[in-house]
Amino acid sequence: MLVSVPLVAEKTLKLLMSIMQQNLDTQNGLENLRQILETLTEELSPLFRDDSVQVGSWRRSIEAVSESLQEQTLRIAVVGPVKAGKSTFINAMQGRDLLKRGAGIITAFITRIRSGSEEKGWVEIKSWEEINTEVNEALSMIALQRGSERVEAIDLQREEDRIDLQQFMQEGSPENFVGRETFDPNMVLINGYLNGYSELSAHVQSEPVRMEFTAEELEQHQDFVSQESQAVYLRDMELELPISWLGEMVELGDCQGSDSPNPLHFAMLQEYLLSSHCILYLISSRVGIRQADLKLIEAIKILRLLPQTLFVLNVDLDEHRDMGSLERLQERVAAELRLLVPEAKIYAFSALLQLLETANSRDELSPREGRRLEGWRDDEEMVEFSQRGYEQFCNDLKNLVSRERSRALYGGVLSHLQRLAQS
């Protein structure tokens, strides 16, 4: 067997190179390679009785490959500053006014929308153990900042502990809530748990609880995403909707605004970006490039996701007198964006116009939004400009999804297999 090991390893590496040269067009080839490496690992394991760490590492790699081959969902993060129109944009893409939109910070928790064959959804609520762990860790950090000691553990289920916690929070001055640029994350977290206790505590159990939504109940998810006092109790949230033009097994992540004063929001956004394969970056035509864009684009650069990022100038048609002002704004934003991303291509259209047009075709438009749509239609040139921009964006997004699916989904698999084969 010792003689055959180098030969098997050499054949394995050749197979790996062959799969890479085929532009990742076969999942079967990757699965065959995984099986070869799994067999080889088991054959070699008796030789490493004194080094179980090595064999354990191989087995974990094989397990990771198996999970990656089974997970076929392409994740697309929809990002941008507060009020860039992210929720409206996703509503337009899915042809349904489902995600909550309006003034102020609307998205306090990332809503994952999966393209599938059914209409359904769920929210998952944290367990008491998870909640109490987070509360006590936050308390320790606050006590450290104040130069005091706090060793007694808090159980949010006990009324006396909640009263103590309220008093502890009130002991600090208002300045304790504010850091250099944002609110203190520990104060925000505890404040959210205290404010949301009366509404959500009945749903919390010793283990995480999943609340299911039928097609008729999907709008109930809005109760959990727009308030921090609700969002802090959530572990995860997912809606499934048919988005036929994108195909199945595609996920859109409706993310929080990158310039939200709540530091928990940007932390969740960064975590979601780590698992994303593509990014749709929205810029509001009302304000153009903001300071927050510099921070977010830098994070995208670090993750090496800029080649898989599409930039959208979300046009507010009420803000532009004529096509000339809109074209000048587009040129200015494009010029500013290219200072940060020289190769960036920007698409300009009104997500709200697309959403209202769809609602109007289904006779689902409110009288107020109907009058708004009619006012926009008076300027045919601007409406045609928006529609052309949206069509071009949809075509390029479909191409990106098609192109990136194999690269994104199988890139991690190849990386695992290559390391394992070389080892």
Side-chain angles (χ1 to χ4, degrees):
M1 183 176 70
L2 288 174
V3 176
S4 67
V5 167
L7 297 177
V8 174
E10 182 181 354
K11 291 179 180 179
T12 301
L13 283 168
K14 287 182 178 179
L15 178 57
L16 173 64
M17 295 304 298
S18 173
I19 293 172
M20 294 177 70
Q21 291 168 359
Q22 294 171 27
N23 297 317
L24 316 181
D25 62 355
T26 170
Q27 183 179 1
N28 290 334
L30 292 169
E31 174 59 25
N32 290 339
L33 181 53
R34 187 203 66 79
Q35 292 176 3
I36 291 172
L37 289 170
E38 183 176 35
T39 300
L40 186 58
T41 296
E42 295 309 313
E43 289 181 354
L44 291 177
S45 60
L47 303 178
F48 290 84
R49 289 190 179 92
D50 297 330
D51 190 7
S52 58
V53 173
Q54 176 65 76
V55 176
S57 174
W58 291 342
R59 286 174 175 158
R60 285 193 297 274
S61 293
I62 291 170
E63 184 178 349
V65 167
S66 299
E67 292 175 356
S68 297
L69 287 172
Q70 293 171 9
E71 175 57 77
Q72 296 295 300
T73 300
L74 187 75
R75 294 187 180 87
I76 304 176
V78 180
V79 305
V82 171
K83 298 311 299 168
K86 297 179 291 296
S87 297
T88 301
F89 171 74
I90 295 178
N91 283 340
M93 290 179 66
Q94 65 192 15
R96 178 176 175 179
D97 201 1
L98 179 62
L99 301 182
K100 192 170 185 177
R101 55 188 177 93
I105 297 176
I106 298 300
T107 304
F109 193 85
I110 293 176
T111 304
R112 299 186 298 104
I113 300 97
R114 281 181 172 247
S115 178
S117 58
E118 301 180 61
E119 290 191 9
K120 58 184 180 179
W122 50 264
V123 297
E124 193 169 71
I125 298 175
K126 297 172 183 174
S127 67
W128 279 121
E129 181 180 0
E130 291 173 297
I131 291 170
N132 285 324
T133 297
E134 290 183 3
V135 168
N136 284 289
E137 288 177 352
L139 273 175
S140 297
M141 291 301 299
I142 294 172
L144 183 63
Q145 292 165 6
R146 294 182 183 178
S148 59
E149 294 185 4
R150 183 174 183 87
V151 294
E152 296 180 7
I154 286 288
D155 185 346
L156 211 61
Q157 297 176 83
R158 293 197 296 260
E159 183 178 5
E160 58 270 27
D161 281 10
R162 294 195 301 276
I163 294 173
D164 288 345
L165 192 55
Q166 288 277 14
Q167 292 175 344
F168 179 78
M169 295 288 284
Q170 292 169 3
E171 289 173 4
S173 62
E175 290 76 15
N176 290 133
F177 271 94
V178 183
R180 291 181 179 178
E181 299 178 354
T182 63
F183 294 117
D184 181 272
N186 301 299
M187 301 286 280
V188 169
L189 183 72
I190 294 176
N191 199 53
Y193 276 128
L194 287 172
N195 291 338
Y197 182 86
S198 60
E199 294 185 56
L200 281 180
S201 60
H203 298 295
V204 184
Q205 304 294 331
S206 58
E207 297 293 332
V209 173
R210 180 170 291 193
M211 300 174 61
E212 306 277 351
F213 302 129
T214 64
E216 294 74 22
E217 299 169 334
L218 276 181
E219 290 190 359
Q220 294 181 22
H221 85 278
Q222 296 180 4
D223 298 336
F224 297 90
V225 298
S226 59
Q227 299 180 47
E228 198 59 46
S229 59
Q230 310 283 332
V232 293
Y233 282 85
L234 298 187
R235 295 180 87 241
D236 200 1
M237 173 184 293
E238 178 181 293
L239 307 178
E240 182 177 325
L241 295 166
I243 310 178
S244 57
W245 67 274
L246 264 185
E248 293 193 1
M249 304 303 288
V250 175
E251 177 180 296
L252 299 172
D254 184 20
C255 300
Q256 300 97 326
S258 58
D259 56 346
S260 166
N262 187 334
L264 302 177
H265 292 176
F266 194 75
M268 281 189 275
L269 167 59
Q270 287 180 303
E271 184 176 351
Y272 187 75
L273 287 177
L274 287 173
S275 64
S276 298
H277 305 110
C278 307
I279 296 175
L280 304 181
Y281 196 116
L282 265 67
I283 302 166
S284 170
S285 72
R286 291 192 301 274
V287 293
I289 301 292
R290 306 181 189 180
Q291 181 68 28
D293 293 304
L294 305 179
K295 180 180 178 181
L296 183 53
I297 289 176
E298 184 60 31
I300 294 173
K301 285 182 179 178
I302 292 172
L303 294 173
R304 300 175 183 263
L305 284 173
L306 278 180
Q308 292 81 252
T309 299
L310 300 183
F311 292 89
V312 173
L313 178 64
N314 192 13
V315 176
D316 185 342
L317 295 178
D318 293 330
E319 293 290 320
H320 305 287
R321 301 185 308 273
D322 50 39
M323 273 301 301
S325 67
L326 178 56
E327 289 174 344
R328 286 192 294 273
L329 172 72
Q330 183 182 9
E331 291 171 1
R332 177 174 65 81
V333 172
E336 292 174 351
L337 181 60
R338 290 191 183 106
L339 293 175
L340 305 171
V341 189
E343 67 279 10
K345 179 179 181 181
I346 191 165
Y347 305 83
F349 57 84
S350 168
L352 184 56
L353 172 63
Q354 295 303 133
L355 179 61
L356 297 188
E357 291 279 17
T358 302
N360 186 55
S361 67
R362 297 178 177 176
D363 295 323
E364 298 173 351
L365 207 58
S366 69
R368 180 181 179 183
E369 291 190 322
R371 292 190 295 271
R372 193 176 191 181
L373 180 59
E374 286 302 316
W376 289 344
R377 284 176 170 175
D378 288 340
D379 193 330
E380 295 182 3
E381 189 178 12
M382 214 177 275
V383 169
E384 290 176 1
F385 172 87
S386 178
Q387 290 174 339
R388 286 197 304 272
Y390 185 68
E391 290 173 4
Q392 184 180 17
F393 163 77
C394 290
N395 288 332
D396 287 356
L397 176 59
K398 285 189 287 187
N399 292 334
L400 178 66
V401 168
S402 175
R403 183 180 76 243
E404 290 302 315
R405 179 177 291 278
S406 294
R407 190 206 64 81
L409 294 178
Y410 298 151
V413 173
L414 279 170
S415 179
H416 277 298
L417 291 174
Q418 189 173 30
R419 286 195 301 270
L420 183 57
Q422 290 174 340
S423 175

